[in-house]
Amino acid sequence: CDSCEAGKYKDTSGVNTACDDCEAGKFKANAGVNLACASCEAGKYSPGASGSCLACSINSESSSGWAFCQCMPGFTRVSGTCVACLEGKYKVEVGDSECTSCGAGKYSSDLGATSSSVCRLCQRGTYSAQVGAYSSAACHVCEAGKYGEMEGAGSVVYCTDCPAGKFSTITAAAAETACTTCSSGTYSS
């Protein structure tokens, strides 16, 4: 019987039959006759026709029998390397997909975040239209004469004008109670 080199096997026994490459995710370490290829263990991979499995690089993982490694939650692939999601972003699942940005009205200063729960809401009396904000500095205050009752407001439209006949000199007011009635003989429209 003919022997196959490492990384190859014979699907059919017999002399002069061709050796086939181990398929991706499998390996065969030793030369031999009709030896089947084995699956790579979790945390390792094989692109195919291999005599051994390769370890996944840092911040990536694989299941048993995988032909490649994927980035762990909180990491995304950039130029072949798994790098942490930047502040203002997160990634929940295993894979090479892009990190998801925190929505408008939210921000996060965490690196490598694995959940949307890291996205903090802008306080009442503030708003932010910025997607993927990484600091509370992205939350702008409602100007004097307005108030913002909604936490996590994603636009200036959530800063409401004081009602007619009332005014406020307070910035970042969080409730209509910040608006006071105009004194006698004056008005506010």
Side-chain angles (χ1 to χ4, degrees), residues 79-106:
S79 301
T81 303
C82 294
V83 296
C85 295
L86 297 175
E87 298 98 332
K89 298 182 178 219
Y90 63 93
K91 189 172 133 248
V92 177
E93 71 284 340
V94 170
D96 295 340
S97 60
E98 291 185 12
C99 300
T100 303
S101 294
C102 293
K106 299 177 181 181

Side-chain angles (χ1 to χ4, degrees), residues 4 13 25 31 35 37 39 45 69 74 78 99 101 106-107 111 120-121 135 179 187:
C4 294
S13 61
L35 295 175
C37 298
S39 292
Y45 73 100
C69 298
V78 176
C99 300
S101 294
K106 299 177 181 181
Y107 66 94
L111 273 175
R120 296 167 192 80
L121 298 173
S135 164
C179 302
Y187 72 95

Side-chain angles (χ1 to χ4, degrees), residues 92-155:
V92 177
E93 71 284 340
V94 170
D96 295 340
S97 60
E98 291 185 12
C99 300
T100 303
S101 294
C102 293
K106 299 177 181 181
Y107 66 94
S108 171
S109 57
D110 294 359
L111 273 175
T114 59
S115 168
S116 62
S117 65
V118 300
C119 300
R120 296 167 192 80
L121 298 173
C122 289
Q123 295 178 7
R124 292 174 42 193
T126 68
Y127 68 93
S128 176
Q130 183 178 343
V131 173
Y134 57 87
S135 164
S136 62
C139 302
H140 305 287
V141 298
C142 293
E143 61 188 37
K146 296 181 181 267
Y147 62 95
E149 294 182 318
M150 186 173 121
E151 199 173 33
S155 170

Side-chain angles (χ1 to χ4, degrees), residues 38-104:
S39 292
C40 293
E41 64 186 76
K44 295 187 175 187
Y45 73 100
S46 168
S50 183
S52 64
C53 296
L54 305 169
C56 290
S57 61
I58 192 165
N59 304 321
S60 68
E61 62 184 48
S62 72
S63 291
S64 175
W66 278 19
F68 52 89
C69 298
Q70 292 187 319
C71 295
M72 297 165 67
F75 294 85
T76 187
R77 192 167 302 280
V78 176
S79 301
T81 303
C82 294
V83 296
C85 295
L86 297 175
E87 298 98 332
K89 298 182 178 219
Y90 63 93
K91 189 172 133 248
V92 177
E93 71 284 340
V94 170
D96 295 340
S97 60
E98 291 185 12
C99 300
T100 303
S101 294
C102 293

